[in-house]
Amino acid sequence: MAPSKKKHAKTTEACVIPGGFTVLSLQFNSDSEAQHKLYVKEHKVRAERSSHRPLDRTLFVLNIPPYCSQDVIKELFSQFGSVQSVELGDHPGSFQQSGPRLSRVFRPAEKQGFKVGYVVFQNSSGVTEAKSHPNNVPLIVSTGEHPVKTGVHKWIQQYTQSFTESDKLQKIVDSFMEDYDKRKEEESERQKQEAEQQQEDEEGWVKVTKGNKSTKARPHSEAANQKAIQREMRKKQRKELMNFYTWQHRNTQKEHIAELRKKFEEDKQKISLLRAQRKFRPY
């Protein structure tokens, strides 16, 4: 049978798959034949009421390849409308950093892999335009105006950018030390003022000032502070020794009661023996 000469018509409609996701074709450059698929959907998580992800202007994106950074995603989706912000992460949800914040000079290594993202548009029409984009019109990642480097060229670029210029690093260090010296001077000045307020007058009186609401009131003399600290330390050590375990505390109480009873019986025997040995009997 001869093959049919009828050509398949190219669809100009958006491709929507089960789950409400719209499929967007992604092409690295205009000469590339391979295409990658992005899955986009309007962000409608009612439990997440954060101001940086408005429900009517946020687009949820899945299957973002590793060579697409935040700037690349922002440039790709800018054709649908003005993009306000882009967030990329390994899993859906909050991308807030859980650990301590590091300096902008020392950045942790990023995980390489496919990511999920949230694209926030300035207007809600951007979400509608992205969802109605036809599947047969791919989005071009690397263009002449905005080239994207991959492979060895990308590694060389990242390695070069990992070094910080000595002048910039020196400015950051100087700024940090200036802030540190300023905080130390303010702290020493505050301690000096407190010491002056706590000095005893000629008659031995100490001026008591009202402290902050968050701090507990305590005596304003050094001797009283030392006594209070020693008293608390002795109390804490005694409590740790006596109440290290509940069963130890109970056994200690039982042994103490048994010792008192034993001493009571010994005292009774001594009293009875003294009465028996008494020689003077007036009757």
Side-chain angles (χ1 to χ4, degrees), residues 195-248:
E196 291 177 355
Q197 293 178 356
Q198 294 173 7
Q199 287 181 355
E200 297 182 356
D201 56 10
E202 297 178 355
E203 297 181 359
W205 294 92
V206 178
K207 182 179 179 181
V208 180
T209 58
K210 184 179 181 181
N212 297 329
K213 295 182 179 180
S214 59
T215 57
K216 296 182 179 179
R218 59 180 182 179
H220 285 272
S221 61
E222 188 67 23
N225 289 340
Q226 292 295 334
K227 290 181 180 179
I229 292 173
Q230 293 177 2
R231 194 184 309 113
E232 290 294 331
M233 290 179 62
R234 288 196 299 269
K235 185 178 180 181
K236 184 178 180 181
Q237 291 177 357
R238 194 183 310 113
K239 187 175 181 181
E240 288 178 354
L241 292 175
M242 293 294 296
N243 299 330
F244 186 73
Y245 290 115
T246 306
W247 62 271
Q248 285 185 347

Side-chain angles (χ1 to χ4, degrees), residues 149-203:
K149 295 183 180 180
T150 57
V152 177
H153 299 287
K154 183 180 179 181
W155 295 340
I156 294 174
Q157 183 182 11
Q158 290 178 350
Y159 179 77
T160 306
Q161 293 177 352
S162 63
F163 293 96
T164 305
E165 296 180 5
S166 57
D167 297 338
K168 293 182 179 180
L169 185 60
Q170 187 64 40
K171 289 181 180 179
I172 295 173
V173 173
D174 293 340
S175 176
F176 176 82
M177 292 305 300
E178 288 178 1
D179 295 339
Y180 177 78
D181 293 338
K182 185 178 179 181
R183 291 195 302 268
K184 293 296 290 183
E185 290 178 0
E186 293 176 353
E187 182 68 18
S188 61
E189 186 67 23
R190 184 182 62 82
Q191 294 180 356
K192 184 178 179 180
Q193 292 178 0
E194 290 182 355
E196 291 177 355
Q197 293 178 356
Q198 294 173 7
Q199 287 181 355
E200 297 182 356
D201 56 10
E202 297 178 355
E203 297 181 359

